[in-house]
Amino acid sequence: MVIVNTLLACFVIQPRIVTENYVLSVLWYSLVLYLFVNTVTNASLVYFTDVSSLRLTDDREWRHQASERKTNCKRCVRPKPARCHHCIICDQCVLRRDHHCFFLCSCIGYHNQKYFVFFTFFMALAGLYAAAFTTYHICSEYGFCLNKMNLDFEDSNLHLVVFLVSVALGSLFGGIAACSFLFWQLKLICRGQTQLEYRRGITSYTKRDKLKHIEDIFGSSWMMFIIVPIYFNNK
């Protein structure tokens, strides 16, 4: 919904405002393209990244927990190391399973959590951007009519205003929801917990430094990854 509203705001509403200034138009469209590409790419990486326990043997997290006791999963009858939980929807064990995202139809775990974080980040930016730009367009184009109450139910402009208001509200609510997911994920990452562990009160993995927890998810070059998104597994 946020992506659709953003596209409407940027490719339908925006040209009516910035087409008179070529430089401004290029800058706006570059920003839109940047937000759109990053949102879609991160969403694709969340969905297509393999999060199953079959990948454990090649990761630092597995080596870090290699000395811990391993058991077999009662559902898939496979080795189940520490912090590995079975998802009944995906029907597989996921290392550091955080939750199952129904919006992206994928489990969020150790291998794709960083992509999910950046997906929510760019979703929040896109939603708030679309809401702000659509609101600006409504105020600049129809503010006088709204103040004078010149719009009636037979006026075609009223239907357009209602549509634009719905786009702005949808983008705003979507952006706020994405922000809440983003801050919640960042809080859990800094604590070294997953959402599942937080609900169960498991705190045995929260004793390390916050930077170590961040590196576990984003890799050693996590600061560069935040500034310029890099789409490869740098763990």
Side-chain angles (χ1 to χ4, degrees), residues 41-59 61 78 84-85 87 90-97 104-116 232-233 235:
T41 304
N42 280 289
S44 301
L45 288 170
V46 170
Y47 180 79
F48 289 107
T49 299
D50 182 15
V51 296
S52 67
S53 59
L54 298 178
R55 292 186 55 193
L56 297 180
T57 54
D58 297 327
D59 288 285
E61 184 70 14
R78 291 176 179 173
C84 189
H85 301 279
C87 177
C90 298
D91 194 24
Q92 63 180 355
C93 284
V94 179
L95 177 62
R96 291 183 62 169
R97 180 180 180 272
L104 297 176
C105 301
S106 177
C107 255
I108 307 302
Y110 174 71
H111 298 291
N112 64 351
Q113 189 175 15
K114 68 176 180 180
Y115 302 129
F116 180 76
F232 63 87
N233 193 346
K235 294 179 181 179

Side-chain angles (χ1 to χ4, degrees), residues 19 120 201 218 226:
T19 50
T120 57
F218 296 101
I226 292 177

Side-chain angles (χ1 to χ4, degrees), residues 36-229:
F36 179 76
V37 169
N38 278 279
T39 302
V40 173
T41 304
N42 280 289
S44 301
L45 288 170
V46 170
Y47 180 79
F48 289 107
T49 299
D50 182 15
V51 296
S52 67
S53 59
L54 298 178
R55 292 186 55 193
L56 297 180
T57 54
D58 297 327
D59 288 285
R60 293 186 308 167
E61 184 70 14
W62 171 268
R63 295 195 296 269
H64 175 69
Q65 300 174 6
S67 60
E68 299 188 28
R69 181 181 178 182
K70 298 183 290 293
T71 59
N72 288 332
C73 177
K74 296 180 180 180
R75 294 182 178 271
C76 61
V77 198
R78 291 176 179 173
K80 182 181 178 181
R83 309 188 75 178
C84 189
H85 301 279
H86 189 91
C87 177
I88 59 176
I89 301 175
C90 298
D91 194 24
Q92 63 180 355
C93 284
V94 179
L95 177 62
R96 291 183 62 169
R97 180 180 180 272
D98 188 83
H99 68 283
H100 185 91
C101 180
F102 291 95
F103 181 75
L104 297 176
C105 301
S106 177
C107 255
I108 307 302
Y110 174 71
H111 298 291
N112 64 351
Q113 189 175 15
K114 68 176 180 180
Y115 302 129
F116 180 76
V117 170
F118 280 98
F119 167 73
T120 57
F121 173 73
F122 286 107
M123 278 281 288
L125 288 182
L128 297 178
Y129 167 79
F133 203 91
T134 306
T135 302
Y136 171 78
H137 177 71
I138 294 173
C139 295
S140 61
E141 291 290 326
Y142 306 102
F144 178 79
C145 294
L146 291 174
N147 291 334
K148 296 298 183 180
M149 300 300 293
N150 289 334
L151 294 178
D152 54 54
F153 288 100
E154 296 181 357
D155 193 343
S156 60
N157 286 334
L158 178 61
H159 300 85
L160 179 59
V161 171
V162 172
F163 170 73
L164 293 177
V165 170
S166 65
V167 170
L169 291 177
S171 300
L172 179 62
F173 292 146
I176 293 175
C179 283
S180 63
F181 276 109
L182 173 63
F183 288 121
W184 176 242
Q185 285 290 305
L186 291 177
K187 178 182 178 180
L188 291 176
I189 290 174
C190 291
R191 289 171 56 91
Q193 279 184 311
T194 65
Q195 185 170 296
L196 185 62
E197 293 169 348
Y198 177 84
R199 291 178 177 177
R200 295 181 178 180
I202 301 175
T203 59
S204 56
Y205 303 102
T206 62
K207 309 301 182 182
R208 304 169 65 189
D209 184 73
K210 290 183 179 180
L211 291 180
K212 295 296 183 181
H213 294 315
I214 294 175
E215 288 183 1
D216 279 344
I217 300 301
F218 296 101
S220 57
S221 58
W222 62 272
M223 294 187 67
M224 181 60 66
F225 191 90
I226 292 177
I227 299 173
V228 180

